[in-house]
Amino acid sequence: MKMDGNLLIDLKNGDEKAFETLFWEYNQHVYHFVYSLLYDKSMAADLTQNVFLKIWEKHETIDPEQNFDAYLF
């Protein structure tokens, strides 16, 4: 997935709508990745939620010039 640099700039600046867009763009992808490692739906859902919580908590450290997929995974 190619992430729009403007979206990442908005996220870095604390824009909740940018975070929501990012969540809906990546949520299923992250969930399926985690599930493929654990084969536990409940744990995969919890860890996916934790991933996005950490992204929000650390949104100020995101570098919009870098590959977001690499940052995420």
CSV table of all heavy atoms in Angstrom, one decimal, residues 2-44:
chain,number,residue,atom,x,y,z
A,2,LYS,N,0.5,2.2,-0.8
A,2,LYS,CA,1.2,3.5,-0.9
A,2,LYS,C,0.5,4.5,-0.1
A,2,LYS,O,-0.7,4.7,-0.3
A,2,LYS,CB,1.4,3.9,-2.3
A,2,LYS,CG,2.1,5.2,-2.5
A,2,LYS,CD,3.6,5.1,-2.4
A,2,LYS,CE,4.2,6.4,-2.8
A,2,LYS,NZ,4.9,7.0,-1.7
A,3,MET,N,1.1,5.0,1.0
A,3,MET,CA,0.4,6.0,1.8
A,3,MET,C,0.7,7.4,1.3
A,3,MET,O,1.8,7.8,1.0
A,3,MET,CB,0.9,5.8,3.3
A,3,MET,CG,0.3,6.7,4.3
A,3,MET,SD,-1.5,6.7,4.4
A,3,MET,CE,-1.9,5.0,4.6
A,4,ASP,N,-0.4,8.2,1.3
A,4,ASP,CA,-0.3,9.6,0.9
A,4,ASP,C,0.5,10.4,1.9
A,4,ASP,O,0.3,10.4,3.1
A,4,ASP,CB,-1.7,10.2,0.8
A,4,ASP,CG,-1.8,11.6,0.4
A,4,ASP,OD1,-0.7,12.2,0.1
A,4,ASP,OD2,-2.9,12.2,0.4
A,5,GLY,N,1.6,11.1,1.4
A,5,GLY,CA,2.5,11.8,2.3
A,5,GLY,C,1.7,12.9,3.1
A,5,GLY,O,2.0,13.2,4.2
A,6,ASN,N,0.7,13.5,2.4
A,6,ASN,CA,-0.1,14.5,3.1
A,6,ASN,C,-0.8,13.9,4.3
A,6,ASN,O,-1.0,14.6,5.4
A,6,ASN,CB,-1.0,15.2,2.2
A,6,ASN,CG,-0.3,16.1,1.2
A,6,ASN,OD1,0.7,16.6,1.5
A,6,ASN,ND2,-0.9,16.2,0.0
A,7,LEU,N,-1.3,12.7,4.2
A,7,LEU,CA,-2.0,12.1,5.3
A,7,LEU,C,-1.1,11.8,6.4
A,7,LEU,O,-1.4,12.1,7.6
A,7,LEU,CB,-2.6,10.7,4.8
A,7,LEU,CG,-3.4,10.0,5.8
A,7,LEU,CD1,-4.7,10.7,6.2
A,7,LEU,CD2,-3.7,8.6,5.3
A,8,LEU,N,0.2,11.4,6.1
A,8,LEU,CA,1.2,11.2,7.2
A,8,LEU,C,1.6,12.5,7.9
A,8,LEU,O,1.8,12.6,9.1
A,8,LEU,CB,2.4,10.5,6.7
A,8,LEU,CG,2.1,9.1,6.2
A,8,LEU,CD1,3.4,8.4,5.7
A,8,LEU,CD2,1.5,8.2,7.3
A,9,ILE,N,1.6,13.6,7.1
A,9,ILE,CA,1.9,14.9,7.7
A,9,ILE,C,0.8,15.3,8.6
A,9,ILE,O,1.1,15.8,9.7
A,9,ILE,CB,2.1,16.0,6.6
A,9,ILE,CG1,3.4,15.7,5.8
A,9,ILE,CG2,2.1,17.4,7.2
A,9,ILE,CD1,3.6,16.5,4.6
A,10,ASP,N,-0.4,15.1,8.2
A,10,ASP,CA,-1.6,15.4,9.0
A,10,ASP,C,-1.6,14.6,10.3
A,10,ASP,O,-1.8,15.1,11.4
A,10,ASP,CB,-2.9,15.2,8.3
A,10,ASP,CG,-3.1,16.2,7.2
A,10,ASP,OD1,-2.4,17.3,7.2
A,10,ASP,OD2,-4.0,16.0,6.3
A,11,LEU,N,-1.3,13.3,10.2
A,11,LEU,CA,-1.2,12.4,11.3
A,11,LEU,C,-0.1,12.9,12.3
A,11,LEU,O,-0.3,13.0,13.5
A,11,LEU,CB,-0.9,11.0,10.9
A,11,LEU,CG,-0.7,10.0,12.0
A,11,LEU,CD1,-1.9,9.8,12.9
A,11,LEU,CD2,-0.3,8.6,11.4
A,12,LYS,N,1.1,13.2,11.7
A,12,LYS,CA,2.2,13.7,12.6
A,12,LYS,C,1.7,14.9,13.4
A,12,LYS,O,2.2,15.1,14.5
A,12,LYS,CB,3.4,14.0,11.7
A,12,LYS,CG,4.6,14.4,12.5
A,12,LYS,CD,5.8,14.7,11.6
A,12,LYS,CE,6.9,15.2,12.4
A,12,LYS,NZ,8.0,14.2,12.6
A,13,ASN,N,0.9,15.7,12.8
A,13,ASN,CA,0.4,17.0,13.4
A,13,ASN,C,-0.8,16.7,14.4
A,13,ASN,O,-1.4,17.7,14.9
A,13,ASN,CB,0.1,18.0,12.4
A,13,ASN,CG,1.3,18.5,11.7
A,13,ASN,OD1,2.4,18.6,12.3
A,13,ASN,ND2,1.2,18.8,10.4
A,14,GLY,N,-1.2,15.5,14.5
A,14,GLY,CA,-2.2,15.1,15.5
A,14,GLY,C,-3.7,15.2,14.9
A,14,GLY,O,-4.6,15.2,15.7
A,15,ASP,N,-3.8,15.1,13.6
A,15,ASP,CA,-5.1,15.1,13.0
A,15,ASP,C,-5.8,13.8,13.2
A,15,ASP,O,-5.4,12.8,12.7
A,15,ASP,CB,-5.0,15.4,11.5
A,15,ASP,CG,-6.3,15.6,10.8
A,15,ASP,OD1,-7.3,15.0,11.2
A,15,ASP,OD2,-6.3,16.4,9.8
A,16,GLU,N,-6.9,13.8,14.0
A,16,GLU,CA,-7.6,12.6,14.3
A,16,GLU,C,-8.3,12.0,13.0
A,16,GLU,O,-8.4,10.7,12.9
A,16,GLU,CB,-8.7,12.8,15.3
A,16,GLU,CG,-8.1,13.1,16.7
A,16,GLU,CD,-9.1,13.4,17.8
A,16,GLU,OE1,-10.3,13.1,17.6
A,16,GLU,OE2,-8.7,13.9,18.8
A,17,LYS,N,-8.7,12.8,12.1
A,17,LYS,CA,-9.3,12.3,10.8
A,17,LYS,C,-8.3,11.5,10.0
A,17,LYS,O,-8.5,10.5,9.4
A,17,LYS,CB,-9.9,13.4,10.0
A,17,LYS,CG,-11.2,13.8,10.4
A,17,LYS,CD,-12.2,12.7,10.2
A,17,LYS,CE,-13.5,13.3,9.7
A,17,LYS,NZ,-14.6,12.3,9.7
A,18,ALA,N,-7.0,12.0,10.0
A,18,ALA,CA,-5.9,11.3,9.3
A,18,ALA,C,-5.7,10.0,10.0
A,18,ALA,O,-5.5,9.0,9.3
A,18,ALA,CB,-4.7,12.2,9.3
A,19,PHE,N,-5.7,9.9,11.3
A,19,PHE,CA,-5.5,8.7,12.0
A,19,PHE,C,-6.7,7.7,11.6
A,19,PHE,O,-6.4,6.5,11.4
A,19,PHE,CB,-5.5,8.9,13.5
A,19,PHE,CG,-5.4,7.6,14.3
A,19,PHE,CD1,-4.2,6.9,14.3
A,19,PHE,CD2,-6.5,7.1,14.9
A,19,PHE,CE1,-4.1,5.7,15.0
A,19,PHE,CE2,-6.4,5.9,15.6
A,19,PHE,CZ,-5.2,5.2,15.7
A,20,GLU,N,-7.9,8.2,11.6
A,20,GLU,CA,-9.0,7.4,11.3
A,20,GLU,C,-8.9,6.8,9.9
A,20,GLU,O,-9.1,5.6,9.6
A,20,GLU,CB,-10.3,8.2,11.4
A,20,GLU,CG,-11.6,7.4,11.2
A,20,GLU,CD,-12.8,8.2,11.3
A,20,GLU,OE1,-12.8,9.2,11.9
A,20,GLU,OE2,-13.9,7.7,10.8
A,21,THR,N,-8.5,7.6,8.9
A,21,THR,CA,-8.3,7.2,7.6
A,21,THR,C,-7.2,6.1,7.5
A,21,THR,O,-7.4,5.0,6.9
A,21,THR,CB,-7.9,8.4,6.7
A,21,THR,OG1,-8.9,9.3,6.7
A,21,THR,CG2,-7.6,7.9,5.2
A,22,LEU,N,-6.1,6.3,8.2
A,22,LEU,CA,-5.0,5.4,8.3
A,22,LEU,C,-5.5,4.0,8.9
A,22,LEU,O,-5.2,3.0,8.4
A,22,LEU,CB,-3.9,5.9,9.1
A,22,LEU,CG,-2.7,5.0,9.3
A,22,LEU,CD1,-1.5,5.5,8.5
A,22,LEU,CD2,-2.4,4.9,10.8
A,23,PHE,N,-6.3,4.2,10.0
A,23,PHE,CA,-6.8,3.0,10.6
A,23,PHE,C,-7.6,2.1,9.7
A,23,PHE,O,-7.4,0.9,9.5
A,23,PHE,CB,-7.7,3.3,11.8
A,23,PHE,CG,-8.3,2.2,12.5
A,23,PHE,CD1,-7.7,1.4,13.4
A,23,PHE,CD2,-9.6,1.9,12.2
A,23,PHE,CE1,-8.3,0.3,14.0
A,23,PHE,CE2,-10.3,0.8,12.8
A,23,PHE,CZ,-9.6,0.0,13.7
A,24,TRP,N,-8.5,2.7,8.9
A,24,TRP,CA,-9.4,2.0,8.0
A,24,TRP,C,-8.7,1.5,6.8
A,24,TRP,O,-9.0,0.4,6.3
A,24,TRP,CB,-10.6,2.8,7.6
A,24,TRP,CG,-11.6,3.0,8.8
A,24,TRP,CD1,-11.9,4.1,9.4
A,24,TRP,CD2,-12.3,1.9,9.4
A,24,TRP,NE1,-12.8,3.9,10.5
A,24,TRP,CE2,-13.0,2.5,10.5
A,24,TRP,CE3,-12.4,0.5,9.3
A,24,TRP,CZ2,-13.8,1.8,11.4
A,24,TRP,CZ3,-13.2,-0.2,10.1
A,24,TRP,CH2,-13.9,0.4,11.2
A,25,GLU,N,-7.6,2.1,6.5
A,25,GLU,CA,-6.8,1.7,5.3
A,25,GLU,C,-5.9,0.4,5.7
A,25,GLU,O,-5.7,-0.5,4.9
A,25,GLU,CB,-5.8,2.8,4.9
A,25,GLU,CG,-5.0,2.5,3.7
A,25,GLU,CD,-5.7,2.4,2.4
A,25,GLU,OE1,-6.8,3.0,2.3
A,25,GLU,OE2,-5.3,1.7,1.5
A,26,TYR,N,-5.4,0.4,6.9
A,26,TYR,CA,-4.5,-0.6,7.3
A,26,TYR,C,-5.0,-1.7,8.3
A,26,TYR,O,-4.3,-2.7,8.5
A,26,TYR,CB,-3.2,0.0,7.9
A,26,TYR,CG,-2.3,0.6,6.9
A,26,TYR,CD1,-2.4,1.9,6.5
A,26,TYR,CD2,-1.3,-0.2,6.4
A,26,TYR,CE1,-1.5,2.4,5.6
A,26,TYR,CE2,-0.4,0.3,5.4
A,26,TYR,CZ,-0.5,1.6,5.0
A,26,TYR,OH,0.3,2.1,4.1
A,27,ASN,N,-6.1,-1.4,9.0
A,27,ASN,CA,-6.6,-2.3,10.0
A,27,ASN,C,-6.6,-3.8,9.6
A,27,ASN,O,-6.1,-4.6,10.3
A,27,ASN,CB,-8.0,-1.8,10.5
A,27,ASN,CG,-8.5,-2.7,11.6
A,27,ASN,OD1,-7.9,-2.9,12.6
A,27,ASN,ND2,-9.7,-3.2,11.4
A,28,GLN,N,-7.3,-4.1,8.5
A,28,GLN,CA,-7.4,-5.5,8.1
A,28,GLN,C,-6.1,-6.1,7.7
A,28,GLN,O,-5.8,-7.3,8.0
A,28,GLN,CB,-8.4,-5.6,7.0
A,28,GLN,CG,-9.9,-5.4,7.4
A,28,GLN,CD,-10.3,-6.5,8.4
A,28,GLN,OE1,-10.1,-7.7,8.2
A,28,GLN,NE2,-10.9,-6.1,9.5
A,29,HIS,N,-5.3,-5.3,7.1
A,29,HIS,CA,-3.9,-5.8,6.7
A,29,HIS,C,-3.1,-6.2,7.9
A,29,HIS,O,-2.5,-7.3,8.0
A,29,HIS,CB,-3.2,-4.7,5.9
A,29,HIS,CG,-2.0,-5.2,5.2
A,29,HIS,ND1,-1.9,-6.2,4.3
A,29,HIS,CD2,-0.7,-4.8,5.4
A,29,HIS,CE1,-0.7,-6.3,3.9
A,29,HIS,NE2,0.1,-5.5,4.5
A,30,VAL,N,-3.1,-5.4,8.9
A,30,VAL,CA,-2.4,-5.6,10.2
A,30,VAL,C,-3.0,-6.9,10.9
A,30,VAL,O,-2.3,-7.8,11.3
A,30,VAL,CB,-2.4,-4.4,11.1
A,30,VAL,CG1,-1.8,-4.8,12.5
A,30,VAL,CG2,-1.6,-3.3,10.5
A,31,TYR,N,-4.3,-6.9,11.0
A,31,TYR,CA,-5.0,-8.0,11.6
A,31,TYR,C,-4.6,-9.3,11.0
A,31,TYR,O,-4.3,-10.3,11.7
A,31,TYR,CB,-6.5,-7.8,11.6
A,31,TYR,CG,-7.2,-9.0,12.1
A,31,TYR,CD1,-7.4,-9.2,13.5
A,31,TYR,CD2,-7.7,-10.0,11.2
A,31,TYR,CE1,-8.1,-10.4,13.9
A,31,TYR,CE2,-8.4,-11.1,11.7
A,31,TYR,CZ,-8.5,-11.3,13.0
A,31,TYR,OH,-9.2,-12.5,13.5
A,32,HIS,N,-4.7,-9.4,9.7
A,32,HIS,CA,-4.4,-10.6,9.0
A,32,HIS,C,-2.9,-11.0,9.1
A,32,HIS,O,-2.6,-12.2,9.3
A,32,HIS,CB,-4.7,-10.5,7.5
A,32,HIS,CG,-6.2,-10.5,7.3
A,32,HIS,ND1,-7.1,-11.6,7.6
A,32,HIS,CD2,-7.0,-9.5,6.8
A,32,HIS,CE1,-8.3,-11.2,7.3
A,32,HIS,NE2,-8.3,-10.0,6.8
A,33,PHE,N,-2.0,-10.1,9.1
A,33,PHE,CA,-0.6,-10.3,9.4
A,33,PHE,C,-0.4,-11.0,10.8
A,33,PHE,O,0.2,-12.0,10.9
A,33,PHE,CB,0.2,-9.1,9.2
A,33,PHE,CG,1.7,-9.3,9.6
A,33,PHE,CD1,2.5,-9.9,8.7
A,33,PHE,CD2,2.2,-8.8,10.8
A,33,PHE,CE1,3.8,-10.1,9.0
A,33,PHE,CE2,3.5,-9.0,11.1
A,33,PHE,CZ,4.3,-9.7,10.2
A,34,VAL,N,-1.0,-10.3,11.8
A,34,VAL,CA,-0.9,-10.8,13.2
A,34,VAL,C,-1.5,-12.2,13.3
A,34,VAL,O,-0.9,-13.1,13.9
A,34,VAL,CB,-1.4,-9.8,14.2
A,34,VAL,CG1,-1.4,-10.4,15.6
A,34,VAL,CG2,-0.7,-8.5,14.2
A,35,TYR,N,-2.7,-12.4,12.7
A,35,TYR,CA,-3.4,-13.6,12.8
A,35,TYR,C,-2.6,-14.8,12.1
A,35,TYR,O,-2.5,-15.9,12.6
A,35,TYR,CB,-4.8,-13.5,12.1
A,35,TYR,CG,-5.5,-14.8,12.2
A,35,TYR,CD1,-6.1,-15.2,13.4
A,35,TYR,CD2,-5.7,-15.7,11.1
A,35,TYR,CE1,-6.8,-16.4,13.5
A,35,TYR,CE2,-6.3,-16.9,11.2
A,35,TYR,CZ,-6.9,-17.3,12.4
A,35,TYR,OH,-7.6,-18.4,12.5
A,36,SER,N,-1.9,-14.4,11.0
A,36,SER,CA,-1.1,-15.4,10.3
A,36,SER,C,0.1,-15.9,11.2
A,36,SER,O,0.6,-17.0,11.0
A,36,SER,CB,-0.6,-14.9,9.0
A,36,SER,OG,0.5,-14.0,9.2
A,37,LEU,N,0.5,-15.1,12.2
A,37,LEU,CA,1.5,-15.5,13.1
A,37,LEU,C,1.0,-16.3,14.3
A,37,LEU,O,1.7,-17.2,14.8
A,37,LEU,CB,2.3,-14.3,13.6
A,37,LEU,CG,3.0,-13.5,12.5
A,37,LEU,CD1,3.6,-12.2,13.1
A,37,LEU,CD2,4.1,-14.3,11.8
A,38,LEU,N,-0.2,-15.9,14.8
A,38,LEU,CA,-0.7,-16.5,16.0
A,38,LEU,C,-1.8,-17.5,15.9
A,38,LEU,O,-2.0,-18.3,16.8
A,38,LEU,CB,-1.2,-15.3,16.9
A,38,LEU,CG,-0.2,-14.2,17.2
A,38,LEU,CD1,-0.9,-13.1,18.0
A,38,LEU,CD2,0.9,-14.7,18.0
A,39,TYR,N,-2.6,-17.4,14.8
A,39,TYR,CA,-3.8,-18.3,14.7
A,39,TYR,C,-4.7,-18.2,15.9
A,39,TYR,O,-5.3,-19.2,16.3
A,39,TYR,CB,-3.4,-19.7,14.4
A,39,TYR,CG,-2.6,-19.9,13.1
A,39,TYR,CD1,-1.2,-20.0,13.1
A,39,TYR,CD2,-3.3,-19.8,11.9
A,39,TYR,CE1,-0.5,-20.1,11.9
A,39,TYR,CE2,-2.6,-19.9,10.7
A,39,TYR,CZ,-1.2,-20.1,10.7
A,39,TYR,OH,-0.5,-20.2,9.5
A,40,ASP,N,-4.9,-17.0,16.4
A,40,ASP,CA,-5.8,-16.7,17.5
A,40,ASP,C,-6.5,-15.4,17.2
A,40,ASP,O,-5.9,-14.3,17.3
A,40,ASP,CB,-5.0,-16.7,18.8
A,40,ASP,CG,-5.9,-16.5,20.0
A,40,ASP,OD1,-6.8,-15.6,20.0
A,40,ASP,OD2,-5.7,-17.2,21.0
A,41,LYS,N,-7.8,-15.5,16.9
A,41,LYS,CA,-8.5,-14.3,16.5
A,41,LYS,C,-8.6,-13.2,17.5
A,41,LYS,O,-8.4,-12.1,17.3
A,41,LYS,CB,-10.0,-14.7,16.0
A,41,LYS,CG,-10.0,-15.5,14.7
A,41,LYS,CD,-11.4,-15.8,14.4
A,41,LYS,CE,-11.4,-16.6,13.1
A,41,LYS,NZ,-12.7,-17.0,12.6
A,42,SER,N,-8.8,-13.6,18.8
A,42,SER,CA,-8.9,-12.7,19.9
A,42,SER,C,-7.6,-12.0,20.1
A,42,SER,O,-7.6,-10.7,20.2
A,42,SER,CB,-9.4,-13.4,21.1
A,42,SER,OG,-9.5,-12.5,22.2
A,43,MET,N,-6.6,-12.7,20.1
A,43,MET,CA,-5.2,-12.1,20.3
A,43,MET,C,-4.8,-11.2,19.2
A,43,MET,O,-4.3,-10.2,19.4
A,43,MET,CB,-4.2,-13.2,20.5
A,43,MET,CG,-3.3,-13.0,21.7
A,43,MET,SD,-2.2,-14.5,21.8
A,43,MET,CE,-1.2,-13.9,23.1
A,44,ALA,N,-5.2,-11.7,18.0
A,44,ALA,CA,-4.9,-10.9,16.8
A,44,ALA,C,-5.6,-9.5,16.8
A,44,ALA,O,-5.0,-8.5,16.5
A,44,ALA,CB,-5.2,-11.6,15.5
